[in-house]
Amino acid sequence: MRMSKTLLASCGFMLASMNGCASDLPPIQPVSHVDLTRFMGSWYVIATIPTRFEKNAYNAVETYTLQSDGNVYTAFRFNNGSFSAPEKKIHSLGIVKANTGNAVWGVQLFWPLRAQYIVAYLSQDYSETIVARDARDYTWIMARTPNVSPHDYVILINKVKALGYDISKIRNVPQQWSNGSDDPVGVK
Protein backbone atom coordinates (compact mmCIF):
# COMPACT_ATOMS: atom_id res chain seq x y z
CA MET A 1 0.00 0.00 0.00
CA ARG A 2 1.40 3.42 -0.97
CA MET A 3 1.29 6.32 1.46
CA SER A 4 0.60 9.80 0.21
CA LYS A 5 3.33 12.44 0.37
CA THR A 6 1.22 14.40 2.87
CA LEU A 7 0.90 11.42 5.18
CA LEU A 8 4.62 10.69 4.92
CA ALA A 9 5.47 14.32 5.66
CA SER A 10 3.10 14.30 8.64
CA CYS A 11 4.68 11.14 10.02
CA GLY A 12 8.14 12.62 9.52
CA PHE A 13 7.11 15.79 11.33
CA MET A 14 5.76 13.81 14.29
CA LEU A 15 8.97 11.75 14.49
CA ALA A 16 11.12 14.88 14.32
CA SER A 17 9.03 16.51 17.05
CA MET A 18 9.30 13.47 19.29
CA ASN A 19 13.05 13.24 18.69
CA GLY A 20 13.45 16.77 20.04
CA CYS A 21 11.85 15.69 23.33
CA ALA A 22 13.30 12.17 23.66
CA SER A 23 15.90 12.93 26.32
CA ASP A 24 15.51 12.35 30.05
CA LEU A 25 17.67 15.43 30.58
CA PRO A 26 16.09 18.81 31.25
CA PRO A 27 15.58 21.15 28.27
CA ILE A 28 18.65 23.11 27.23
CA GLN A 29 18.51 26.68 28.43
CA PRO A 30 19.10 29.18 25.64
CA VAL A 31 21.10 32.33 26.18
CA SER A 32 18.91 35.17 27.40
CA HIS A 33 19.21 37.30 24.25
CA VAL A 34 20.73 37.19 20.78
CA ASP A 35 21.19 40.46 18.90
CA LEU A 36 20.30 39.05 15.50
CA THR A 37 22.10 41.80 13.61
CA ARG A 38 25.37 40.98 15.42
CA PHE A 39 24.80 37.22 15.04
CA MET A 40 24.47 37.45 11.26
CA GLY A 41 27.40 36.69 8.99
CA SER A 42 29.74 33.74 8.67
CA TRP A 43 30.53 31.20 11.39
CA TYR A 44 33.20 28.52 10.96
CA VAL A 45 32.20 25.12 12.33
CA ILE A 46 35.04 24.23 14.71
CA ALA A 47 33.59 20.98 16.06
CA THR A 48 30.29 19.16 15.87
CA ILE A 49 28.27 16.10 16.62
CA PRO A 50 27.28 16.07 12.97
CA THR A 51 24.13 15.31 11.06
CA ARG A 52 24.43 12.66 8.37
CA PHE A 53 24.87 15.40 5.75
CA GLU A 54 28.02 16.83 7.34
CA LYS A 55 29.75 13.84 8.93
CA ASN A 56 32.74 14.20 6.57
CA ALA A 57 32.76 18.01 6.28
CA TYR A 58 35.92 20.04 5.73
CA ASN A 59 35.97 23.86 5.67
CA ALA A 60 32.41 24.00 7.01
CA VAL A 61 30.95 27.50 7.20
CA GLU A 62 27.42 28.54 8.17
CA THR A 63 26.36 32.00 6.98
CA TYR A 64 23.28 33.78 8.31
CA THR A 65 21.40 36.61 6.61
CA LEU A 66 18.55 38.42 8.40
CA GLN A 67 15.47 38.81 6.22
CA SER A 68 12.98 41.66 6.40
CA ASP A 69 10.37 39.38 8.03
CA GLY A 70 12.72 38.61 10.95
CA ASN A 71 13.57 35.10 9.78
CA VAL A 72 17.13 34.04 8.99
CA TYR A 73 18.29 32.70 5.63
CA THR A 74 21.03 30.13 6.27
CA ALA A 75 23.65 28.96 3.81
CA PHE A 76 25.82 26.06 4.93
CA ARG A 77 28.74 25.09 2.74
CA PHE A 78 31.54 22.57 3.07
CA ASN A 79 33.86 20.26 1.15
CA ASN A 80 32.61 16.69 1.55
CA GLY A 81 35.38 14.23 2.45
CA SER A 82 38.52 16.33 1.94
CA PHE A 83 39.72 19.89 1.41
CA SER A 84 39.88 19.30 -2.35
CA ALA A 85 36.46 17.63 -2.67
CA PRO A 86 33.67 19.48 -4.47
CA GLU A 87 31.82 22.01 -2.36
CA LYS A 88 28.35 21.12 -1.12
CA LYS A 89 25.74 23.70 -0.16
CA ILE A 90 22.66 23.37 2.00
CA HIS A 91 20.20 26.26 2.29
CA SER A 92 17.54 26.54 4.96
CA LEU A 93 15.36 29.04 6.77
CA GLY A 94 15.73 29.82 10.46
CA ILE A 95 12.36 30.81 11.89
CA VAL A 96 12.98 32.73 15.10
CA LYS A 97 10.56 31.73 17.85
CA ALA A 98 8.75 34.59 19.56
CA ASN A 99 9.49 35.36 23.21
CA THR A 100 12.83 33.50 23.24
CA GLY A 101 15.18 36.48 23.06
CA ASN A 102 15.94 35.36 19.48
CA ALA A 103 17.85 32.36 20.91
CA VAL A 104 15.52 29.57 19.76
CA TRP A 105 14.80 28.89 16.11
CA GLY A 106 13.09 26.27 14.05
CA VAL A 107 15.33 25.52 11.07
CA GLN A 108 13.40 24.42 8.03
CA LEU A 109 15.22 22.52 5.29
CA PHE A 110 11.92 21.65 3.66
CA TRP A 111 8.29 22.16 4.57
CA PRO A 112 6.79 21.22 7.04
CA LEU A 113 9.74 19.89 9.07
CA ARG A 114 11.63 22.20 11.42
CA ALA A 115 14.67 21.18 13.40
CA GLN A 116 15.23 22.67 16.84
CA TYR A 117 18.07 25.22 17.03
CA ILE A 118 19.05 26.63 20.43
CA VAL A 119 21.80 29.18 20.94
CA ALA A 120 23.08 27.60 24.16
CA TYR A 121 26.22 29.69 24.48
CA LEU A 122 27.31 32.98 22.93
CA SER A 123 30.44 34.87 23.91
CA GLN A 124 29.93 38.51 24.83
CA ASP A 125 31.86 39.67 21.77
CA TYR A 126 29.91 37.32 19.45
CA SER A 127 33.10 35.51 18.45
CA GLU A 128 32.11 31.99 19.62
CA THR A 129 28.82 30.16 19.92
CA ILE A 130 27.37 26.75 20.68
CA VAL A 131 24.16 25.63 18.99
CA ALA A 132 22.38 22.71 20.65
CA ARG A 133 19.19 20.63 20.72
CA ASP A 134 17.20 19.20 23.61
CA ALA A 135 17.62 15.70 22.12
CA ARG A 136 21.42 16.02 22.55
CA ASP A 137 21.82 14.37 19.15
CA TYR A 138 23.58 17.20 17.30
CA THR A 139 25.59 20.23 18.35
CA TRP A 140 27.80 22.79 16.66
CA ILE A 141 30.70 24.75 18.13
CA MET A 142 31.29 27.72 15.86
CA ALA A 143 33.56 30.75 15.75
CA ARG A 144 34.13 33.81 13.61
CA THR A 145 37.62 32.51 12.80
CA PRO A 146 38.53 29.08 11.39
CA ASN A 147 40.42 28.13 14.56
CA VAL A 148 40.17 28.84 18.26
CA SER A 149 42.93 28.68 20.84
CA PRO A 150 43.47 25.33 22.58
CA HIS A 151 42.34 26.99 25.83
CA ASP A 152 39.07 28.21 24.28
CA TYR A 153 38.52 24.83 22.62
CA VAL A 154 38.69 23.01 25.97
CA ILE A 155 36.30 25.54 27.52
CA LEU A 156 33.83 25.11 24.64
CA ILE A 157 33.99 21.31 24.79
CA ASN A 158 33.37 21.45 28.55
CA LYS A 159 30.34 23.68 27.95
CA VAL A 160 28.96 21.08 25.52
CA LYS A 161 29.59 18.35 28.11
CA ALA A 162 27.79 20.42 30.77
CA LEU A 163 24.76 20.59 28.43
CA GLY A 164 24.49 16.80 28.71
CA TYR A 165 26.16 15.73 25.47
CA ASP A 166 28.40 12.69 25.00
CA ILE A 167 31.56 14.52 23.97
CA SER A 168 33.15 11.31 22.64
CA LYS A 169 30.89 11.84 19.59
CA ILE A 170 32.34 15.27 18.80
CA ARG A 171 34.20 15.58 15.52
CA ASN A 172 36.73 18.36 14.96
CA VAL A 173 36.01 19.98 11.61
CA PRO A 174 39.21 20.53 9.62
CA GLN A 175 39.59 24.12 8.41
CA GLN A 176 42.22 25.15 5.85
CA TRP A 177 41.86 28.16 3.60
CA SER A 178 43.95 28.57 0.45
CA ASN A 179 43.79 32.36 0.40
CA GLY A 180 45.96 32.52 3.53
CA SER A 181 43.50 34.57 5.55
CA ASP A 182 40.77 33.86 8.05
CA ASP A 183 38.13 34.70 5.45
CA PRO A 184 37.11 31.93 3.08
CA VAL A 185 37.03 33.05 -0.52
CA GLY A 186 33.54 34.18 -1.40
CA VAL A 187 32.13 34.14 2.14
CA LYS A 188 31.06 37.44 3.66
Side-chain angles (χ1 to χ4, degrees), residues 19 36 43 48 72 74 94 100 112 143 150 156 166 168 176-177 179 187:
N19 188 33
L36 286 178
W43 290 91
T48 184
V72 179
T74 67
T100 66
L156 291 163
D166 176 356
S168 71
Q176 180 181 46
W177 296 96
N179 64 351
V187 174

Side-chain angles (χ1 to χ4, degrees), residues 3-161:
M3 295 170 97
S4 73
K5 287 183 182 180
T6 304
L7 181 57
L8 283 172
S10 297
C11 290
F13 181 73
M14 288 188 312
L15 287 172
S17 298
M18 289 186 294
N19 188 33
C21 303
S23 176
D24 289 335
L25 295 169
I28 290 176
Q29 293 301 305
V31 298
S32 62
H33 180 73
V34 174
D35 178 338
L36 286 178
T37 302
R38 287 185 70 191
F39 198 77
M40 297 300 102
S42 295
W43 290 91
Y44 296 85
V45 181
I46 303 299
T48 184
I49 297 177
T51 66
R52 66 184 175 103
F53 301 109
E54 60 187 308
K55 66 182 180 177
N56 295 308
Y58 286 68
N59 283 351
V61 178
E62 178 99 326
T63 303
Y64 302 120
T65 304
L66 188 60
Q67 297 184 312
S68 60
D69 63 2
N71 291 323
V72 179
Y73 173 77
T74 67
F76 179 62
R77 67 183 194 102
F78 60 95
N79 300 94
N80 192 29
S82 72
F83 290 117
S84 60
E87 184 178 85
K88 297 224 174 216
K89 296 178 182 179
I90 300 172
H91 301 278
S92 60
L93 181 65
I95 300 162
V96 180
K97 290 186 132 187
N99 304 314
T100 66
N102 302 323
V104 179
W105 307 357
V107 175
Q108 189 171 53
L109 287 169
F110 55 89
W111 185 88
L113 301 178
R114 289 187 191 170
Q116 186 184 46
Y117 178 110
I118 301 169
V119 180
Y121 169 76
L122 181 59
S123 62
Q124 284 187 326
D125 64 358
Y126 283 63
S127 65
E128 298 171 345
T129 191
I130 296 171
V131 174
R133 290 171 32 91
D134 287 336
R136 274 73 170 193
D137 49 358
Y138 309 119
T139 189
W140 297 267
I141 297 172
M142 299 188 291
R144 296 294 191 175
T145 58
N147 300 294
V148 297
S149 73
H151 178 260
D152 282 0
Y153 184 81
V154 169
I155 289 171
L156 291 163
I157 292 294
N158 285 333
K159 287 181 182 297
V160 170
K161 184 177 182 179

